[in-house]
């Protein structure tokens, strides 16, 4: 079936198919957040797409329209999970805890969807637990294979689930970290998980928590690669529609505030923990059960934009130099929404060699190695990956040796002396 852009049809909810008429936030237009540019791209046409987010009046799923084919977004990807030390520690801790909780061993199978470069599965392998990764990005999947992790380079859905069943590869644990938001064909994806999961198996998914996004003004986590933004209330509806039940949930500090949900087949006898009801009640108290609860976000976003631009203008008028740290997707949303280019930010540094030597989409800010900070000694370092600010400020503490200061833009502009 040919891909049909949302420009060619009326926008409808990707879960319940209701018409989308209720705006959550409109961030203007932006290029794909991970479409980093080479020097030869800078004088070529660059495609921008609307970043207009809706909330479905029927099911309250917050979502973007699909403007670009997922194959064009994810088949060659610039994000490698293993370049964050804190994320690797997070992954290892999950493996240690879950292997014991679910009694996983050499006769078990762990299947990870969007397994990236093997950042998580490598720790199951160390324990002698069989694993299988599914990663559509060819370049990232190859990095996992180099670690000895079997990886299927495809998009997951009912069709791949059926093939795995035929091969006798039904998982005891199905993991998906920061993938659910990246899925435009949401029903096919969740249905595939329900289909492939063993009758006694468990699903563990992590995704940014919509309630935290709203409360902490994390609008920069909105970009085209993230098709949906989940509350527990919305996730429960989606999972229930495919015969799955969320029986436990944990609130995590990762990515500015995430949920880790555990789900099983509806027929599974596992008890639902009190965590689920407690969080469900918190979301209702925050009015996430009705469309009116989403209406104030746009004004808060505009306020933050004005505050950041005011800080940058004043700093430049005082003759201060500004660099940025982390060529993160969220940073590209922030920079493009606020109209920040090299007139404000001289360059951005990033640890990933896959990004160094390239340019940020839209803003065309050059991406350099972290050593560049020591060479130019900027007055301010704007941390675009603010969710990793503690890790970054610790690893780059020498910035303070020349009087440099760190700046975080979210939830409000803050200068860290």
């Amino acid at each position: 079936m040919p891909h049909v852009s949302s420009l060619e049809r009326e926008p409808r909810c990707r879960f319940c198919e209701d018409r989308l008429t209720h705006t959550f936030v409109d961030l203007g237009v932006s290029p794909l957040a991970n479409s980093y540019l080479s020097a030869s791209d800078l004088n070529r046409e660059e495609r921008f797409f609307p970043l207009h987010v809706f909330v479905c009046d029927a099911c309250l799923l917050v979502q973007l329209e699909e403007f670009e084919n997922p194959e064009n977004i994810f088949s060659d990807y610039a994000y490698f999970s293993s370049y964050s030390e804190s994320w690797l520690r997070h992954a290892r801790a999950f493996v240690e805890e879950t292997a014991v909780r679910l009694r996983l061993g050499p006769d078990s199978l762990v299947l990870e969807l969007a397994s990236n470069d093997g950042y998580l599965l490598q720790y199951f392998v160390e324990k002698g637990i069989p694993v299988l990764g599914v990663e559509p990005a060819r370049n990232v999947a190859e990095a996992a294979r180099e670690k000895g992790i079997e990886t299927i380079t495809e998009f997951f859905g009912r069709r791949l689930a059926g093939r795995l069943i035929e091969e006798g590869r039904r998982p005891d644990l199905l993991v998906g970290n920061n993938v659910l938001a990246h899925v435009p064909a949401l029903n096919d994806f969740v249905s595939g998980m329900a289909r492939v999961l063993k009758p006694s198996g468990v699903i563990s998914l992590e995704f940014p928590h919509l309630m935290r996004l709203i409360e902490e003004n994390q609008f920069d986590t909105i970009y085209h690669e993230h098709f949906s933004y989940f509350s527990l209330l919305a996730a429960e509806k989606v999972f229930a529609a495919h015969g799955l039940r969320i029986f436990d949930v944990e609130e995590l500090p990762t990515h500015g505030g995430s949920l880790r949900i555990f789900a099983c087949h509806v027929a599974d006898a596992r008890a639902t923990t009190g965590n689920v009801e407690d969080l469900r009640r918190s979301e209702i108290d925050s009015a996430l059960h009705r469309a009116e609860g989403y209406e104030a976000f746009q004004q808060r976003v505009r306020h933050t934009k004005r505050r950041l631009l005011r800080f940058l203008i004043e700093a430049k008028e005082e003759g201060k130099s500004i660099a940025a740290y982390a060529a993160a997707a969220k940073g590209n949303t922030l920079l493009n929404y606020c109209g920040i280019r090299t007139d404000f930010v001289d360059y951005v540094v990033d640890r990933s060699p896959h990004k160094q030597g390239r340019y940020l989409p839209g803003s065309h800010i050059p991406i350099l190695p972290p050593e560049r900070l020591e060479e130019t000694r900027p007055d301010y370092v704007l941390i675009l990956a603010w969710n990793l600010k503690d890790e970054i400020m610790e690893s780059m503490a020498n910035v303070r040796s020349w009087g440099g200061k760190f700046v975080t833009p979210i939830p409000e502009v803050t200068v860290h002396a």
Side-chain angles (χ1 to χ4, degrees):
M1 178 180 295
H3 174 75
V4 178
S5 167
S6 59
L7 292 172
E8 302 169 12
R9 58 172 171 77
E10 181 181 58
R12 289 188 174 274
C13 176
R14 63 176 38 91
F15 169 57
C16 71
E17 286 292 321
D18 256 42
R19 291 178 63 243
L20 295 174
T21 60
H22 199 122
T23 293
F24 174 57
V25 66
D26 187 349
L27 299 176
V29 295
S30 181
L32 299 179
N34 282 297
S35 58
Y36 299 93
L37 307 174
S38 65
S40 61
D41 295 325
L42 297 180
N43 291 324
R44 297 176 182 172
E45 180 183 15
E46 192 171 1
R47 299 181 68 191
F48 283 65
F49 304 91
L51 264 182
H52 188 164
V53 190
F54 295 90
V55 56
C56 177
D57 291 318
C59 68
L60 299 179
L61 178 65
V62 173
Q63 58 200 283
L64 279 170
E65 295 181 74
E66 180 186 344
F67 287 102
E68 181 59 284
N69 193 317
E71 284 78 3
N72 292 337
I73 298 176
F74 298 113
S75 293
D76 188 80
Y77 207 48
Y79 180 74
F80 287 71
S81 296
S82 293
Y83 285 102
S84 170
E85 294 296 332
S86 61
W87 184 243
L88 290 177
R89 290 194 296 270
H90 174 79
R92 183 186 285 276
F94 169 80
V95 171
E96 294 291 337
E97 177 184 333
T98 308
V100 174
R101 179 178 183 179
L102 300 183
R103 300 179 181 178
L104 301 175
D107 296 325
S108 306
L109 175 64
V110 177
L111 172 64
E112 185 181 11
L113 309 181
S115 51
N116 203 266
D117 59 4
Y119 75 98
L120 176 79
L121 294 181
Q122 62 185 339
Y123 299 124
F124 283 111
V125 170
E126 287 179 0
K127 291 183 168 294
I129 300 170
V131 303
L132 175 64
V134 176
E135 173 52 59
R138 292 181 295 271
N139 60 323
V140 181
E142 187 56 37
R145 294 190 188 101
E146 290 174 359
K147 298 175 182 176
I149 297 169
E150 182 184 358
T151 305
I152 298 173
T153 309
E154 291 185 33
F155 286 91
F156 180 80
R158 285 184 57 83
R159 184 169 62 180
L160 179 53
R163 198 169 82 228
L164 292 174
I165 292 171
E166 291 176 358
E167 296 172 357
R169 308 179 84 172
R170 302 187 71 180
D172 300 272
L173 173 63
L174 193 163
V175 183
N177 289 341
N178 300 304
V179 60
L180 191 63
H182 291 74
V183 177
L186 184 60
N187 287 313
D188 180 60
F189 185 84
V190 178
S191 176
M193 289 196 296
R195 185 179 185 187
V196 77
L197 187 69
K198 277 185 180 178
S200 60
V202 168
I203 295 170
S204 173
L205 298 182
E206 294 182 22
F207 49 81
H209 189 193
L210 177 64
M211 187 170 77
R212 293 289 295 277
L213 184 154
I214 294 172
E215 290 178 350
E216 300 185 18
N217 201 27
Q218 299 169 358
F219 69 88
D220 57 342
T221 59
I222 295 170
Y223 42 93
H224 298 102
E225 289 89 331
H226 286 170
F227 294 102
S228 305
Y229 304 83
F230 289 92
S231 62
L232 175 65
L233 296 172
E236 284 188 308
K237 291 179 183 178
V238 174
F239 276 63
H242 297 285
L244 296 169
R245 173 174 57 88
I246 296 175
F247 67 87
D248 197 8
V249 62
E250 299 174 10
E251 295 183 79
L252 306 172
T254 54
H255 297 286
S258 297
L259 295 183
R260 176 187 288 155
I261 61 169
F262 292 92
C264 59
H265 291 288
V266 169
D268 194 301
R270 298 172 196 270
T272 300
T273 71
N275 295 340
V276 176
E277 177 55 35
D278 290 345
L279 184 56
R280 192 185 295 136
R281 175 53 53 191
S282 293
E283 292 188 346
I284 290 173
D285 290 343
S286 296
L288 296 187
H289 63 304
R290 52 191 177 89
E292 293 78 12
Y294 300 81
E295 291 179 346
F297 192 60
Q298 179 79 70
Q299 290 305 317
R300 294 176 59 197
V301 169
R302 290 172 178 167
H303 172 74
T304 298
K305 174 179 180 176
R306 292 190 293 266
R307 286 286 304 275
L308 178 58
L309 287 173
R310 187 178 304 123
F311 167 78
L312 294 174
I313 290 169
E314 291 175 354
K316 297 305 286 187
E317 288 182 343
E318 293 172 2
K320 303 295 186 182
S321 57
I322 304 169
Y325 193 103
K330 59 169 54 71
N332 291 325
T333 292
L334 178 80
L335 297 172
N336 283 293
Y337 173 62
C338 295
I340 298 168
R341 306 286 189 267
T342 52
D343 50 349
F344 286 118
V345 176
D346 299 331
Y347 59 86
V348 58
V349 300
D350 197 279
R351 288 181 57 199
S352 172
H354 303 281
K355 296 179 181 180
Q356 293 167 8
R358 303 175 80 179
Y359 297 79
L360 298 183
S363 67
H364 294 187
I365 296 172
I367 307 170
L368 304 173
E371 292 76 20
R372 184 66 170 173
L373 293 177
E374 177 68 40
E375 294 170 6
T376 65
R377 301 195 168 196
D379 297 295
Y380 293 107
V381 177
L382 177 65
I383 299 178
L384 298 177
W386 46 262
N387 54 303
L388 300 175
K389 66 179 185 297
D390 292 335
E391 176 183 336
I392 292 169
M393 288 192 289
E394 180 180 354
S395 66
M396 302 302 298
N398 64 315
V399 167
R400 294 190 173 96
S401 69
W402 63 77
K405 297 179 180 179
F406 295 101
V407 181
T408 48
I410 301 294
E412 291 286 348
V413 179
T414 303
V415 178
H416 304 268

